[in-house]
Amino acid sequence: MVGSPDPSGCFRRSVRLFMKAVPNSCDVLVIGGGPAGSSAATHLAQAGFDVVLLERAVFPRNQVGESLIPHIWKFTDMTGVSEKIEQECFLAKAGSITVWNDKIHQILFSDFGYTRPGLHVERDIFDDILLKHAESCGAQVFNEVTVKKFDFSDSQWPKIFYTDKRGHSNHESTIRCQYVIDASGHSSFLANQFKVRQTISTQLNFLSLWGYFENARFVGVDRKSYSTEALTTVKPVTFVMSFEDGWVWHIVLRGKTSVGLIVPSERTRGMDRQQREVFFKQTCASLPHLNKLLEPARFIEGSLQFRPDYSYYSNKICGENYYCIGDAAAFVDPIFSHGVQNAFYNAAAATLAIKESLKNKKHRLRYSQLCESRMQQFYGFSRSLSLGEFGSNGINPGLVKNLMRLLPQLELELILVASETTNRSENFRRLAREAGVLGQFEENFSGRKTERIGALDF
Ligand SMILES: Cc1cc2nc3c(=O)[nH]c(=O)nc-3n(C[C@H](O)[C@H](O)[C@H](O)COP(=O)(O)OP(=O)(O)OC[C@H]3O[C@@H](n4cnc5c(N)ncnc54)[C@H](O)[C@@H]3O)c2cc1C
């Protein structure tokens, strides 16, 4: 029978003949095709460098993290992918409503001068657009190829070992490159092998559980709840709410709604998958507001996923021949939807350093050190904003304060306002006060840009 696999492996070999082979060498090897890896590959390919990206999954692949803030547009403009994102017509989000310890705040991006919206995206589609864009710009992208280990003994030409699983094969080989970008997400390929990845705090041992519902109601920009038919006329907001020792998100998408819980791992310790699903559904049903939104909804069976290993950072993310970016470098509680923006920022910073290093190898160590401090600054900023009293681990306060002083006024105001909506930002507000930006903000703007709401209309 034509095309049927045979035990001798002839079929696999003949399939492999038609597949484009992974080259033996390149300027830059990127591990992982999420937002960090694909945008890094795009930046470098656009600058004319020879980039190979190895991705272990088959795209489109599922991913969590569906709420995007408008800050992403400046990065997608840089890589020229904004138009392709716009053409997909993802849901435009106007802002957020946060119910935290019974205080309700609404933030609208338009109040801060943002002319482009945030987005609620299906990440499989969004990430696929980014990866295809990288390929269309000249990056060589290979799905189903898993990076296994590395050999940095020749610092000029590191060697990467991978397994190519295309065509049902398990072909092992190597590729040499001048620079490695680790964008492998939470598996933190390099940081784990270098043993530099650290959990932020043992007290911050959280677990995220998320699943999808059909037919849930959504929260509109006018704070009322609507059935999904109204999405054609009413802009949604991301809905976030605290409870006991955790918090929950509700993000309406096209055709389904993403709901996720962040809880101390202790709460689900010893539970199997089924018990976690019961815990998830019961918690959702017990929370005010959320239970109203989910009243008419149906849980999509089998959609529950969870992720432990919640908040981590690495104290060295750049070396003279490698750069760890996105979640491969650090992960910050996603309460302010910073993840994809951080991935884009890191990709831009790392590729700038690599481009300069490829032109002028003599200074490559210096470029990597500069990049390290930029990326640690950005992570420190996000971490102090999102992790409450635990957020000081691994942060260089001086760097964070400098960034606060350099931010455009409206961007700073939006973040300062966001920092008032939960009790997570003590460190951030302390640093902002020390940097001299908080007092100025409180004098001039307090109360003008954030709306404290008495109640929700559902
Ligand atoms: C519960 C939760 C909620 C979140 N909510 C939000 C949100 O609302 N908004 C937001 O902006 N962010 C959110 N995030 C964060 C966001 O999802 C991530 O920050 C973002 O996906 C990081 O992109 P990345 O490219 O670094 O990693 P990923 O998107 O994880 O991509 C990494 C890729 O590397 C591949 N890979 C891994 N190992 C290998 C290997 N050895 N070889 C080859 N390929 C490999 C993987 O298959 C994957 O495709 C959330 C995260 C969590 C956990």
Side-chain angles (χ1 to χ4, degrees):
M1 208 168 61
V2 180
S4 71
D6 76 60
S8 69
C10 289
F11 170 73
R12 289 199 295 270
R13 277 197 296 278
S14 56
V15 168
R16 291 194 57 75
L17 281 178
F18 293 105
M19 288 182 318
K20 191 175 158 210
V22 178
N24 298 328
S25 68
C26 60
D27 292 328
V28 183
L29 179 84
V30 181
I31 309 171
S38 57
S39 53
T42 306
H43 282 297
L44 291 163
Q46 284 171 336
F49 294 108
D50 183 12
V51 194
V52 171
L53 185 153
L54 304 182
E55 163 57 56
R56 74 175 168 202
V58 180
F59 266 51
R61 57 94 178 90
N62 288 330
Q63 180 59 288
V64 69
E66 292 113 338
S67 155
L68 305 185
I69 49 178
H71 305 61
I72 59 140
W73 293 112
K74 65 182 167 211
F75 298 103
T76 57
D77 285 349
M78 278 166 78
T79 52
V81 71
S82 298
E83 206 178 313
K84 293 179 186 172
I85 295 169
E86 279 158 357
Q87 277 164 4
E88 179 56 35
C89 299
F90 290 112
L91 290 179
K93 76 160 183 168
S96 61
I97 287 185
T98 308
V99 182
W100 204 272
N101 295 343
D102 296 329
K103 287 191 189 122
I104 309 174
H105 286 91
Q106 175 165 26
I107 289 179
L108 296 180
F109 299 130
S110 55
D111 286 346
F112 296 85
Y114 288 90
T115 52
R116 291 153 100 184
L119 295 175
H120 282 178
V121 301
E122 297 79 19
R123 282 287 302 277
D124 53 344
I125 299 175
F126 181 77
D127 290 11
D128 198 42
I129 292 173
L130 299 179
L131 190 57
K132 288 210 170 85
H133 182 65
E135 205 164 12
S136 73
C137 293
Q140 299 188 66
V141 173
F142 298 89
N143 279 217
E144 284 187 274
V145 180
T146 305
V147 171
K148 292 289 188 188
K149 50 181 186 160
F150 62 85
D151 175 358
F152 279 12
S153 53
D154 177 350
S155 71
Q156 300 298 314
W157 285 97
K159 195 201 281 189
I160 296 293
F161 298 74
Y162 64 84
T163 305
D164 185 344
K165 297 203 166 148
R166 292 174 298 161
H168 305 287
S169 69
N170 252 323
H171 173 72
E172 294 190 353
S173 192
T174 58
I175 176 168
R176 283 200 181 269
C177 56
Q178 302 194 59
Y179 293 91
V180 180
I181 294 183
D182 179 11
S184 62
H186 73 283
S187 55
S188 301
F189 176 76
L190 284 182
N192 270 328
Q193 302 218 13
F194 288 141
K195 300 199 181 351
V196 292
R197 190 170 115 154
Q198 315 199 10
T199 304
I200 285 196
S201 159
T202 46
Q203 287 155 289
L204 203 79
N205 193 1
F206 276 71
L207 172 87
S208 46
L209 304 104
W210 67 95
Y212 295 88
F213 292 82
E214 273 173 356
N215 205 34
R217 294 177 72 76
F218 74 93
V219 187
V221 62
D222 56 1
R223 304 162 207 168
K224 295 187 176 131
S225 84
Y226 293 91
S227 67
T228 46
E229 290 86 66
L231 281 168
T232 47
T233 48
V234 182
K235 272 201 185 150
V237 296
T238 305
F239 182 68
V240 168
M241 198 176 134
S242 70
F243 61 91
E244 287 172 13
D245 44 6
W247 64 272
V248 59
W249 79 74
H250 171 292
I251 301 169
V252 64
L253 300 167
R254 298 169 298 181
K256 61 182 180 183
T257 296
S258 164
V259 177
L261 303 177
I262 312 288
V263 290
S265 304
E266 207 41 54
R267 294 278 295 275
T268 60
R269 199 172 303 288
M271 288 186 188
D272 63 18
R273 189 183 174 80
Q274 223 176 350
Q275 289 165 323
R276 280 187 174 167
E277 187 167 314
V278 172
F279 168 81
F280 175 76
K281 288 179 183 168
Q282 281 176 349
T283 310
C284 291
S286 71
L287 297 173
H289 304 302
L290 184 68
N291 55 11
K292 288 263 173 55
L293 296 171
L294 297 181
E295 216 164 54
R298 190 185 68 80
F299 179 69
I300 302 176
E301 290 309 325
S303 69
L304 187 77
Q305 293 165 68
F306 27 87
R307 187 171 307 166
D309 201 12
Y310 194 61
S311 279
Y312 55 81
Y313 69 99
S314 309
N315 45 25
K316 181 149 171 56
I317 49 183
C318 306
E320 60 176 336
N321 48 21
Y322 72 88
Y323 289 78
C324 304
I325 63 174
D327 283 7
F331 180 71
V332 182
D333 185 301
I335 191 157
F336 294 110
S337 303
H338 270 180
V340 171
Q341 184 211 0
N342 281 354
F344 285 155
Y345 175 86
N346 286 186
T351 51
L352 189 63
I354 291 174
K355 282 187 243 172
E356 291 309 312
S357 307
L358 280 161
K359 282 188 239 153
N360 189 350
K361 272 207 150 172
K362 207 167 67 180
H363 296 303
R364 67 186 196 150
L365 185 58
R366 184 74 195 119
Y367 290 130
S368 80
Q369 288 162 343
L370 282 171
C371 186
E372 170 102 30
S373 75
R374 279 288 158 274
M375 295 208 283
Q376 296 289 11
Q377 179 180 48
F378 211 69
Y379 278 122
F381 186 85
S382 295
R383 227 177 290 147
S384 62
L385 185 64
S386 312
L387 296 181
E389 59 191 286
F390 310 116
S392 56
N393 283 43
I395 288 178
N396 179 330
L399 284 180
V400 175
K401 286 188 254 185
N402 280 344
L403 181 57
M404 288 172 166
R405 293 186 191 107
L406 288 173
L407 276 186
Q409 187 60 27
L410 284 172
E411 208 167 302
L412 180 69
E413 279 182 47
L414 172 59
I415 288 166
L416 287 169
V417 163
S419 76
E420 286 176 346
T421 60
T422 74
N423 63 355
R424 290 296 195 83
S425 308
E426 295 96 329
N427 274 300
F428 187 84
R429 294 183 73 78
R430 182 177 51 77
L431 292 176
R433 194 172 300 285
E434 286 170 17
V437 297
L438 185 60
Q440 184 195 349
F441 165 76
E442 280 172 343
E443 259 171 46
N444 299 335
F445 302 103
S446 187
R448 249 202 320 132
K449 302 278 184 188
T450 181
E451 197 164 1
R452 185 86 166 266
I453 308 165
L456 285 172
D457 208 0
F458 62 91

